[in-house]
């Protein structure tokens, strides 16, 4: 008996969807077993998971607040990934965006609100884009590995904020507690239809990035570089400039997330500003096939999962770790299902011992 | 019933890749002491079939017998143990090791290698088969022919009784080919089974005892060489009668289009790969470039197209020096030159994009504003598909799913659409079937008639002699001569490819 894997040349859309849905069902089933083991009814837990994410206006708002940074970061990452530039540095780019925005918020709070907020958005973008351009420059100039450089720069950014939080930017009014002062009213994002205005920015970016990637010259060039650098050179695309531009945008968009989180959600800067969004967004960007509209859907579902599981945590007394396990199992199955869309398992039952004469 | 004397027997072998049947119930019998040629166009299933005999692929159904036992290989090692050795087109040798080290590498002989014992054994094999290999020579110092002999020695040392050679002559000069055939005959005398994959008719007729013709994944027929002729074989191979002759269109003008003077370039290791190349090209002529693979052909084309850094020299295109300019500058300056690169999907086209976007690649620089215009590209794509009879489900189909011939037509169609005055083509018919080759020759001749100057780089000397006006031979980055294609012979070209300048009859 022999096992072997056969690569499937092309999988139809229908089959891909089927595999995807099957993976989610299997994940729910497996998690169900685990929930039963904990002594709860899986169906009830699942229903209240949905309830926790979408059951009331407040809950929907909370889900969306969690979805906004995921959407925007995924968009930023998608631009880099389209170029096959593996930007793992969204964490750092968000952090540096938040840093620049916070610098403006803390020092120029006397400016009129619209002016200050616009400056902060610009600052967020620039902070993130600088953190994006650095690895792009190294990669385009000397061919360094962007995965490692972007990843390492996350820690540089994080340690910088920790230094500020425990040192020069520590709030003297916080009685020795290591915390950066809260933003003044002027530096806080206004609400629109009950939600901080970040969702409008997200919507605007979804449309802009879609147009940029599919219809603009630069977007086309980025896609060509992602497919083949040699073809890009052959076609007269300026590789260096385009790589740097793509990472300027990718990092800048991630930097905006830092500004939005600091000004719209946390109302200050802290070392926990990203909440791990920079890493989660890699997954959502990938699951969304780097397409803006799918990214929106995947990000909202992801945020719902996070929001819903924090609800079942309190409702059923399931520990936080178990709730995270649930997220992990779903992710595992969905990401793993990709394998079955690409390969087929063949089992060969025939024996080895048959002699030549028997067959002929 | 199976032929009793067959040593290797493959029965009803089917292998499916995705939805394509690469081999469909193929059969092959090879006797001991026989040179058996597998003849077929690209995509006929020759290599797939042989990869199954050497354990690289596993058949989906069918049986393989060696001697009188059925075998099932799940890895190349299984097939080596069963006495099968395959020499691939791309050699599997470690450049920085000597011949001896390469032979011993990866072969189980205990923890400590008794080099001298093994060396004696290898020398016995060399004597038996009359192979000439300097065992202490480093592979990077070897010529292609030497490397091939070393590969053969390596497989024999591992106990191969069945030797598969996958298009072994593609990389050899005519002189090296003669040597290889001697080795193959010696192996036959020693009772080995030699399977020879090729699509070159004259070689098959020279060396093979039996010929199996494959077409589109099926075995068409197995013939004795004595009972057949090239015309019949070609018809079996293509499936219908074909006129194999290449037509040459007469050159019309003496206007110089390009003058290259003392062109020098280094590769990444700072070794000089172009050592002072100088030549002229005229309107309405095809200048062929012959040379052993890796003699600087690729670097020459890319340097002309602005894709390879030039150290020194001049590329004068209609009075303008192009040396040191980038492809982007070519476009903005409106240089009327097109380049068909060797690596179609790696350089000329984007595999994952559709025909429209690949056409757009050449057009979008001219689009005004920040956005690309897909509509004109789409119309152009439809036009090219129609004109060159490209087989595709539609213009929005990723080109990686097209066949090699159709991919090449997309590339040629796009490049010719800009009506270049100079066309550089690197191996434009490599990997294409006979019909597409002839079609491409026709296209090139058509352009030549229009007055386009064409640089035609190829490995097949027959096509060079048939199509070109002049042939420039390069060896180790140097021109060894430029000859008139009407009077040159293959032997003369072969000697020049090896670096011999004395046979030069320059025109």
């Amino acid at each position: 008996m022999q096992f072997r894997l056969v690569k499937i040349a092309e999988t139809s859309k229908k089959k891909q969807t089927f595999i995807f849905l099957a993976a989610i069902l299997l994940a729910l089933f497996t998690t169900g077993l685990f929930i039963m083991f904990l002594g709860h009814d899986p169906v009830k837990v699942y229903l209240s998971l949905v309830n926790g994410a979408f059951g009331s206006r407040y809950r929907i708002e909370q889900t969306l607040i969690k979805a906004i940074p995921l959407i925007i970061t995924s968009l930023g990452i998608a631009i880099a990934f389209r170029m096959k530039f593996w930007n793992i540095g969204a964490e750092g780019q968000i952090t540096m965006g938040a840093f620049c925005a916070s610098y403006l918020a803390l020092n120029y709070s006397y400016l009129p609100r619209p002016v200050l907020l616009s400056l902060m958005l610009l600052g967020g973008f620039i902070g993130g884009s600088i953190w994006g351009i650095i690895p792009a420059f190294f990669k385009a100039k000397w061919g360094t590995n962007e995965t490692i450089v972007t990843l390492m720069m996350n820690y540089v950014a994080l340690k910088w904020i920790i230094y500020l939080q425990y040192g020069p930017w520590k709030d003297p009014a916080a009685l020795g507690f290591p915390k950066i002062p809260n933003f003044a009213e002027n530096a806080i994002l206004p609400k629109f239809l009950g939600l901080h205005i970040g969702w409008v920015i997200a919507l605007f970016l979804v449309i802009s990035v879609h147009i940029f990637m599919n219809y603009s010259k630069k977007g086309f060039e980025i896609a060509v570089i992602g497919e083949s650098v040699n073809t890009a050179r052959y076609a007269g695309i300026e590789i260096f400039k385009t790589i740097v531009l793509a990472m300027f945008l990718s990092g800048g968009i991630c930097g905006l997330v830092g500004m939005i989180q600091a000004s719209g959600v946390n109302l200050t800067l802290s070392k926990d500003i990203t909440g791990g969004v920079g890493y989660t967004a890699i997954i959502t960007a990938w699951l969304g096939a780097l397409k803006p509209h799918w990214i929106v859907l995947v990000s909202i579902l992801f945020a719902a999962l996070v929001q819903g599981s924090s609800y079942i945590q309190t409702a059923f007394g399931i520990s936080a770790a178990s709730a995270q396990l649930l997220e992990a199992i779903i992710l595992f199955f969905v990401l793993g299902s990709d394998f079955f869309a690409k390969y087929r398992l063949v089992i060969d039952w025939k024996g080895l011992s048959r002699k030549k004469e028997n067959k002929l | 019933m199976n032929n009793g004397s067959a040593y290797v027997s493959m029965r009803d072998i089917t292998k499916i890749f995705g939805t394509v049947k690469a081999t469909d119930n193929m059969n092959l019998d090879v006797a001991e002491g026989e040179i058996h040629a597998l003849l077929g166009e690209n995509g006929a299933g020759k290599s797939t079939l042989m990869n199954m005999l050497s354990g690289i692929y596993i058949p989906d159904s069918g049986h393989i017998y060696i001697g009188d036992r059925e075998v099932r290989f799940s890895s190349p090692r299984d097939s080596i143990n069963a006495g099968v050795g395959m020499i691939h087109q791309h050699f599997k040798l470690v450049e920085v090791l000597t011949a001896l080290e390469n032979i011993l590498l990866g072969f189980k002989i205990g923890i400590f290698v008794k080099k001298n014992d093994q060396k004696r054994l290898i020398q016995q094999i060399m004597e038996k088969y009359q192979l000439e290999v300097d065992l202490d020579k480093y592979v990077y110092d070897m010529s292609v022919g030497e490397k091939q002999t070393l590969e053969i020695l390596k497989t024999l040392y591992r106990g191969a009784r069945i030797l598969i050679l996958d298009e072994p002559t593609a990389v050899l000069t005519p002189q090296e080919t003669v040597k290889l055939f001697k080795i193959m005959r010696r192996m036959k005398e020693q009772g080995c089974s030699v399977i020879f994959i090729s699509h070159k008719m004259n070689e098959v007729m020279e060396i093979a005892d039996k010929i199996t013709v494959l077409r589109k994944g099926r075995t068409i027929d197995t013939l004795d060489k004595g009972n057949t002729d090239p015309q019949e074989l070609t018809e079996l191979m293509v499936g219908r009668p074909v006129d194999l002759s290449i037509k040459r269109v007469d050159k019309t003008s003496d206007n110089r289009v390009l003058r290259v003077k003392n062109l020098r370039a280094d590769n990444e290791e700072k070794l000089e790969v172009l050592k002072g190349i100088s030549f002229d090209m005229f309107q309405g002529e095809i200048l062929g470039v012959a040379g052993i693979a890796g003699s600087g052909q690729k670097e020459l084309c890319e340097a002309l197209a602005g894709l390879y850094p030039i150290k020194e020299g001049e590329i004068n295109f209609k009075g303008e020096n192009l040396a040191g300019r980038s492809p982007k500058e070519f476009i903005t300056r409106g240089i009327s030159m097109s380049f068909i690169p060797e690596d179609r999907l790696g350089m000329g086209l984007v595999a994952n994009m559709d025909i429209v976007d690949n056409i757009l690649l050449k057009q979008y620089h001219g689009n005004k504003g920040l956005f690309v215009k897909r509509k004109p590209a789409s119309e152009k794509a439809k036009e090219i598909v129609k004109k060159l009879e490209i087989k595709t489900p539609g213009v929005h189909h990723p080109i990686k799913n097209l066949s090699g011939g159709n991919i090449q037509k997309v590339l040629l169609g796009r490049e010719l659409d800009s009506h270049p005055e100079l066309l550089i083509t690197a191996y434009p018919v490599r990997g294409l079937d006979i019909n597409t080759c002839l079609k491409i020759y026709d296209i090139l001749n058509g352009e030549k008639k229009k007055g386009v100057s064409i640089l035609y780089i190829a490995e097949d000397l027959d096509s060079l002699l048939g199509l070109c006006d002049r042939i420039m031979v390069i060896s180790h980055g140097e021109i060894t001569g430029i000859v008139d294609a009407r009077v040159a012979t293959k032997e003369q070209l072969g000697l020049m490819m090896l670096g011999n300048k004395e046979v030069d009859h320059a025109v």
Side-chain angles (χ1 to χ4, degrees), chain A residues 158-205:
Chain A
L158 178 67
K159 298 294 169 188
W160 171 239
I161 302 301
I162 291 175
Y163 163 72
L164 291 176
Q165 187 177 340
Y166 286 79
W169 283 16
K170 193 160 96 176
D171 187 359
L175 306 168
F177 187 73
K179 135 171 221 324
I180 294 167
N182 275 3
F183 290 179
E185 187 62 32
N186 260 1
I188 289 171
L189 278 180
K191 292 200 172 192
F192 183 65
L193 301 180
L195 211 58
H196 73 73
I197 207 157
W199 72 268
V200 182
I201 299 173
L203 202 63
F204 169 77
L205 284 172

Side-chain angles (χ1 to χ4, degrees), chain A residues 214-215 217 221 227-228 234, chain B residues 339 352 364 367 372 374:
Chain A
N214 293 307
Y215 302 104
K217 284 185 183 178
E221 291 184 342
E227 293 292 340
S228 159
Y234 168 90
Chain B
F339 173 36
N352 279 324
Y364 81 98
N367 294 162
V372 293
R374 281 204 172 76

Side-chain angles (χ1 to χ4, degrees), chain A residues 27-349:
Chain A
L28 290 179
F29 176 76
T30 313
T31 320
L33 289 180
F34 177 70
I35 294 172
M36 266 170 33
F37 174 74
L38 289 178
H40 299 284
D41 178 358
V43 178
K44 267 192 198 161
V45 171
Y46 286 145
L47 284 177
S48 50
L49 184 91
V50 177
N51 185 20
F54 300 109
S56 70
R57 191 190 158 91
Y58 172 77
R59 288 172 194 161
I60 293 175
E61 273 175 25
Q62 285 306 305
T63 301
L64 288 179
I65 284 176
K66 288 196 169 66
I68 289 166
L70 266 182
I71 292 171
I72 302 179
T73 313
S74 306
L75 290 173
I77 287 175
I79 292 177
F81 277 20
R82 183 67 75 89
M83 196 172 65
K84 302 231 163 81
F85 186 105
W86 307 118
N87 178 14
I88 311 297
E91 283 282 301
Q93 289 144 20
I94 295 171
T95 308
M96 291 316 279
F99 158 71
C100 289
S102 303
Y103 175 81
L104 294 164
L106 296 172
N107 293 294
Y108 298 91
S109 55
Y110 53 81
L111 288 171
R113 194 174 187 184
V115 177
L116 180 60
L117 284 175
S118 308
L119 279 177
M120 282 166 66
L121 275 174
L122 189 68
F125 188 92
I126 289 172
S129 63
I130 290 173
W131 232 236
I133 285 175
I134 295 170
F137 177 83
F138 285 135
K139 163 104 177 175
K141 198 94 185 166
W142 295 296
T144 54
N145 183 327
E146 75 277 15
T147 319
I148 292 175
V149 177
T150 50
L151 184 66
M152 290 303 140
M153 285 179 64
N154 288 343
Y155 298 104
V156 177
L158 178 67
K159 298 294 169 188
W160 171 239
I161 302 301
I162 291 175
Y163 163 72
L164 291 176
Q165 187 177 340
Y166 286 79
W169 283 16
K170 193 160 96 176
D171 187 359
L175 306 168
F177 187 73
K179 135 171 221 324
I180 294 167
N182 275 3
F183 290 179
E185 187 62 32
N186 260 1
I188 289 171
L189 278 180
K191 292 200 172 192
F192 183 65
L193 301 180
L195 211 58
H196 73 73
I197 207 157
W199 72 268
V200 182
I201 299 173
L203 202 63
F204 169 77
L205 284 172
V206 167
I207 295 164
S208 313
V209 170
H210 175 77
I211 292 172
F212 175 75
M213 300 238 270
N214 293 307
Y215 302 104
S216 79
K217 284 185 183 178
K218 283 291 162 199
F220 181 65
E221 291 184 342
I222 287 170
V224 173
I225 291 181
E227 293 292 340
S228 159
V229 175
N230 271 330
T231 306
R233 282 194 329 124
Y234 168 90
I237 294 169
E238 289 160 302
I239 310 286
F240 182 86
K241 271 192 197 166
T242 311
I243 290 180
V244 170
L245 173 87
M247 276 311 288
F248 170 77
L249 292 175
S250 175
I253 290 173
C254 293
L256 285 179
V257 175
M259 182 274 170
I260 292 168
Q261 291 305 92
S263 163
V265 182
N266 293 22
L267 314 184
T268 181
L269 175 67
S270 76
K271 67 181 170 60
D272 304 314
I273 187 78
T274 66
V277 161
Y279 296 123
T280 315
I282 295 169
I283 299 164
T284 47
W286 199 249
L287 287 180
L290 309 184
K291 301 222 163 69
H293 51 288
W294 288 117
I295 283 175
V296 173
L297 184 73
V298 172
S299 299
I300 291 177
L301 288 179
F302 225 87
L305 191 62
V306 175
Q307 178 63 21
S309 52
S310 77
Y311 176 77
I312 57 170
Q313 212 173 302
T314 42
F316 291 86
I318 298 176
S319 76
S322 312
Q324 278 172 5
L325 190 77
L326 200 157
E327 286 167 34
I329 289 176
I330 291 179
L331 249 185
F332 178 80
F333 273 80
V334 171
L335 291 175
S337 76
D338 202 39
F339 178 81
F340 291 95
K342 289 200 176 108
Y343 294 94
R344 189 160 52 92
L345 185 67
V346 175
I347 302 168
D348 194 350
W349 296 99

Side-chain angles (χ1 to χ4, degrees), chain B residues 374-385:
Chain B
R374 281 204 172 76
K375 211 163 175 200
S378 167
E379 276 156 21
K380 188 57 78 189
K382 281 176 197 150
E383 193 186 310
I384 290 171
V385 165

Side-chain angles (χ1 to χ4, degrees), chain A residues 2-4 6-10 84 211-218 220-221 223-224 227-238 344 346 348 350-360, chain B residues 2 6 11 18 58-60 63 65 67-70 72-74 302 307 327-328 331 339 341 345-350 352-353 357 360-361 364-365 367-372 374 401 411 414-415:
Chain A
Q2 283 179 324
F3 290 100
R4 59 205 153 88
V6 179
K7 199 160 191 214
I8 303 170
E10 228 181 326
K84 302 231 163 81
I211 292 172
F212 175 75
M213 300 238 270
N214 293 307
Y215 302 104
S216 79
K217 284 185 183 178
K218 283 291 162 199
F220 181 65
E221 291 184 342
V224 173
E227 293 292 340
S228 159
V229 175
N230 271 330
T231 306
R233 282 194 329 124
Y234 168 90
I237 294 169
E238 289 160 302
R344 189 160 52 92
V346 175
D348 194 350
K350 288 173 212 150
L352 276 171
S353 54
R354 214 178 313 172
K355 283 261 181 164
K356 186 180 184 179
E357 283 77 18
N358 304 346
K359 175 67 188 168
L360 306 165
Chain B
N2 175 27
R11 294 265 140 238
I58 301 164
D60 290 332
H63 306 267
Y65 306 93
D68 58 358
R69 279 197 65 81
E70 173 160 16
R72 258 161 205 278
F73 302 140
S74 53
E302 292 187 6
L307 290 162
K328 171 107 189 175
I331 294 165
F339 173 36
L345 290 181
M347 184 174 251
L349 300 165
V350 184
N352 279 324
M353 291 184 176
D357 275 10
L360 185 66
L361 199 58
Y364 81 98
H365 285 291
N367 294 162
K368 284 199 184 78
L370 290 172
F371 296 100
V372 293
R374 281 204 172 76
N401 296 339
L411 182 55
R414 183 186 73 193
E415 291 307 314

Side-chain angles (χ1 to χ4, degrees), chain B residues 199-390:
Chain B
H199 58 228
K200 289 185 186 165
M201 196 63 63
N202 50 354
E203 288 177 355
V204 170
M205 290 307 286
E206 187 184 336
I207 187 84
D209 300 315
K210 280 195 173 176
I211 300 155
T212 295
V213 182
L214 309 179
R215 189 198 325 142
K216 291 181 182 156
R218 290 169 180 276
T219 6
I220 302 301
D221 205 354
T222 300
L223 303 143
D224 282 325
K225 184 178 63 177
N227 301 333
T228 185
D229 57 70
Q231 192 59 37
E232 184 193 8
L233 287 172
T234 311
E235 287 182 23
L236 286 174
M237 191 163 116
V238 182
R240 57 185 171 74
V242 212
D243 178 12
L244 285 176
S245 61
I246 303 169
K247 286 165 204 75
R248 196 195 326 259
V249 175
D250 281 328
K251 186 179 137 192
T252 46
S253 145
D254 280 327
N255 292 339
R256 191 168 59 215
V257 177
L258 183 79
R259 162 160 270 185
V260 176
K261 248 164 69 187
N262 192 29
L263 188 66
R264 287 172 188 277
D266 288 347
N267 67 6
E268 279 173 5
E269 280 101 45
K270 297 284 164 222
L271 293 170
E272 200 166 52
V273 282
L274 295 178
K275 302 168 182 163
I277 301 270
S278 302
F279 64 95
D280 289 341
M281 285 182 70
F282 300 95
Q283 211 174 38
E285 81 156 345
I286 301 183
L287 173 64
V289 178
I292 301 169
S295 298
Q297 298 97 319
K298 183 169 176 271
E299 290 79 5
L300 175 62
C301 308
E302 292 187 6
L304 293 179
L307 290 162
Y308 204 88
I310 294 164
K311 189 171 65 176
E312 200 185 307
E314 196 182 315
I315 300 170
N316 193 312
F317 177 73
K318 296 173 71 193
E320 194 171 359
N321 188 10
L322 299 182
R325 300 223 181 274
S326 70
K328 171 107 189 175
E329 283 173 289
F330 279 38
I331 294 165
T332 48
R333 287 167 161 264
I335 303 295
S336 182
M337 179 202 286
S338 279
F339 173 36
I340 311 288
E342 170 182 358
D343 185 2
R344 288 158 213 157
L345 290 181
M347 184 174 251
L349 300 165
V350 184
N352 279 324
M353 291 184 176
D354 59 19
I355 299 181
V356 175
D357 275 10
N358 272 293
I359 302 288
L360 185 66
L361 199 58
K362 198 77 190 209
Q363 286 191 346
Y364 81 98
H365 285 291
N367 294 162
K368 284 199 184 78
L370 290 172
F371 296 100
V372 293
K373 292 192 175 61
R374 281 204 172 76
K375 211 163 175 200
S378 167
E379 276 156 21
K380 188 57 78 189
K382 281 176 197 150
E383 193 186 310
I384 290 171
V385 165
K386 208 171 152 195
K387 200 165 125 197
L388 297 184
E389 295 157 11
I390 296 168

